[in-house]
Amino acid sequence: MTVDSASGTPDAFLHLTDDDVERYVRGMSAEDVDGVFGPETTPAEASYRLTLIHLEESLLSHHPRVRYVVLDGEEILTFDTRSSPEFPAGDYQWTS
């Protein structure tokens, strides 16, 4: 992730809670992860690796103005700078 040197803000913000990551990982079927990274990789590890790949693809494959990436259940939601994200209900803490 890069930072805009003029404003000092990151190009994008990821919103990931432990519960959201776990729900996303559990949403993958055995067929989704079976053998994707080779026989030495466990299904649990493959699920987490695929989650990272899906997040990266969301950041790279959308319009360059994507600013917010949110895991919502079994979906990855993206928002651009023209719209404010509507995060799922939760107790959020922002850190940098």
Side-chain angles (χ1 to χ4, degrees):
M1 185 175 306
T2 60
V3 174
D4 181 323
S5 60
S7 67
T9 58
D11 288 340
F13 297 93
L14 298 176
H15 177 265
L16 307 170
T17 65
D18 291 342
D19 290 341
D20 291 336
V21 172
E22 288 299 320
R23 193 174 13 214
Y24 188 83
V25 167
R26 282 193 312 266
M28 292 184 204
S29 70
E31 292 175 349
D32 291 338
V33 299
D34 186 39
V36 172
F37 297 103
E40 68 283 349
T41 305
T42 67
E45 181 183 350
S47 296
Y48 282 102
R49 289 169 106 181
L50 276 176
T51 299
L52 292 174
I53 290 170
H54 293 167
L55 288 168
E56 182 180 31
E57 287 173 346
S58 292
L59 286 166
L60 297 175
S61 67
H62 287 83
H63 191 277
R65 289 176 48 153
V66 167
R67 296 276 300 171
Y68 301 95
V69 178
V70 178
L71 279 178
D72 183 24
E74 295 178 16
E75 284 186 90
I76 296 177
L77 305 177
T78 59
F79 303 92
D80 67 23
T81 56
R82 293 172 296 183
S83 63
S84 298
E86 293 183 26
F87 298 118
D91 182 23
Y92 301 108
Q93 297 177 358
W94 300 98
T95 58
S96 61

